[in-house]
């Protein structure tokens, strides 16, 4: 996202192309769209010169998948369904009342499948010498997700957001929950109204935690003057900062 023009480029559910951030930037620079998804996003990225199609599996990821299959495809992100065998196909449970109230209660009490060991989000905000801000977020997504799932990574306002007039925000955690609140948009708008970054980040996280007490996530916020802070829930979070006047990166630890 370009904080000067508010332009956004995103790719979602993109396979066979390794560099999601470069692909997203190509969408922003060379199309009038905001997001491309699926195999057509891959085709666009390759047509614009990115390497591919490539097999992005690693020995580690294949071993992880094999163990998951041996464990009868658990954990997974399904609810209110039953499998024909341990790994599906899945069908609706006939003994569950699928009204809105039931679903909301299940969402609140279900423990998250997102933890410190099964996601890999990187979110970054950069200021240039003129004070213009750019943000970007890249992720492989949650492990064992349902095919076709898109998390909060490519959603402007959820995983990251920037406005030169105010500042920027980046986020990580349970993207399926976080994208329902657009926490980074909330942070930037709170700073616009005068909140300092620390309070704005804490407020955005608290809004989510009140509805989903088993949620895991974190936010960093930075205003246009470079004042920064973080907030988290369900884990201890770290973010790093580097400015031209610093000799090395400073790592900031944020506690729940």
């Amino acid at each position: 996202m370009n904080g000067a023009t508010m332009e956004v480029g995103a790719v979602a559910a993109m396979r066979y192309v390794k560099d999601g951030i470069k692909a997203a930037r190509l969408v922003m620079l060379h199309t009038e769209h905001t997001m491309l998804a699926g195999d057509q996003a891959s085709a666009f990225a390759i047509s614009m010169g990115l390497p591919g199609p490539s097999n992005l599996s690693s020995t580690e990821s294949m071993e992880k998948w094999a163990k998951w299959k041996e464990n009868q495809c658990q954990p997974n992100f399904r609810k209110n369904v039953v499998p024909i065998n341990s790994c599906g196909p899945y069908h609706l449970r006939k003994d569950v009342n699928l009204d809105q109230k039931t679903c909301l209660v299940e969402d609140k009490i279900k423990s998250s499948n997102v933890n410190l060991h099964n996601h890999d989000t990187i979110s970054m905000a950069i200021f240039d010498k003129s004070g213009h801000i750019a943000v970007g977020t890249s992720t492989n997504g949650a492990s064992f997700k349902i095919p076709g799932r898109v998390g909060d990574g490519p959603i402007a306002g959820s995983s990251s957001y920037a406005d030169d007039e105010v500042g920027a925000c980046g986020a990580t955690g349970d993207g399926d929950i976080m994208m329902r609140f657009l926490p980074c948009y909330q942070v930037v708008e709170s700073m616009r109204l005068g909140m300092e970054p620390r309070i704005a980040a804490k407020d955005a996280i608290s809004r989510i935690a009140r509805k989903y007490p088993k949620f895991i996530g974190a936010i960093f916020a930075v205003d246009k003057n470079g004042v920064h802070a973080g907030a988290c829930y369900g884990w201890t979070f770290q973010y790093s900062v580097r400015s031209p006047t610093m000799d090395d990166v400073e790592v900031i630890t944020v506690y729940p």
Side-chain angles (χ1 to χ4, degrees):
M1 184 173 185
N2 183 332
T5 65
M6 310 307 286
E7 291 175 290
V8 172
V11 290
M14 185 180 70
R15 305 173 70 188
Y16 312 121
V17 177
K18 184 176 183 179
D19 201 326
I21 282 288
K22 285 184 178 178
R25 190 166 183 268
L26 289 170
V27 172
M28 183 175 70
L29 293 178
H30 299 294
T31 82
E32 295 184 0
H33 301 311
T34 292
M35 182 189 296
L36 298 179
D39 288 345
Q40 295 304 316
S42 304
F44 169 80
I46 293 168
S47 76
M48 297 299 290
L50 295 185
S54 303
N55 180 358
L56 303 182
S57 297
S58 64
T59 301
E60 181 184 6
S61 68
M62 292 302 295
E63 290 176 351
K64 191 174 183 180
W65 174 79
K67 290 180 180 178
W68 178 72
K69 293 283 284 186
E70 291 172 3
N71 197 38
Q72 300 185 335
C73 300
Q74 295 295 324
N76 65 45
F77 288 84
R78 311 255 182 190
K79 66 180 185 180
N80 296 324
V81 295
V82 292
I84 288 179
N85 57 51
S86 61
C87 292
Y90 296 85
H91 296 279
L92 292 177
R93 285 176 53 185
K94 299 189 185 326
D95 60 332
V96 174
N97 179 13
L98 294 178
D99 61 27
Q100 186 177 16
K101 183 177 179 181
T102 300
C103 290
L104 283 173
V105 171
E106 284 209 11
D107 275 354
K108 284 185 179 182
I109 64 175
K110 182 181 178 183
S111 60
S112 176
N113 287 321
V114 175
N115 60 53
L116 291 172
H117 306 292
N118 69 0
H119 83 295
D120 55 2
T121 304
I122 298 174
S123 188
M124 184 179 294
I126 297 177
F127 291 66
D128 71 10
K129 292 181 179 179
S130 301
H132 297 310
I133 310 171
V135 294
T137 299
S138 178
T139 181
N140 191 48
S143 297
F144 317 128
K145 56 187 173 285
I146 298 170
R149 179 259 191 184
V150 173
D152 71 327
I155 308 301
S158 186
S159 68
S160 56
Y161 199 75
D163 186 335
D164 280 8
E165 297 176 357
V166 183
C169 170
T172 183
D174 191 336
D176 289 291
I177 291 177
M178 297 184 81
M179 67 195 299
R180 303 171 191 178
F181 294 82
L182 295 179
C184 278
Y185 177 79
Q186 181 66 55
V187 164
V188 172
E189 291 308 300
S190 292
M191 292 194 298
R192 191 190 306 276
L193 295 175
M195 277 192 193
E196 59 181 274
R198 179 181 63 85
I199 302 300
K202 185 176 179 179
D203 173 69
I205 284 289
S206 296
R207 290 170 185 249
I208 305 173
R210 283 195 296 269
K211 296 285 188 179
Y212 295 93
K214 293 189 180 295
F215 148 79
I216 293 175
I219 286 174
F220 73 80
V222 55
D223 68 17
K224 64 181 180 181
N225 299 312
V227 177
H228 57 84
C232 58
Y233 186 86
W235 61 7
T236 297
F237 170 65
Q238 290 184 316
Y239 68 95
S240 59
V241 180
R242 178 86 185 257
S243 73
T245 62
M246 297 168 62
D247 294 329
D248 202 356
V249 172
E250 180 182 5
V251 178
I252 310 295
T253 300
V254 181
Y255 298 96

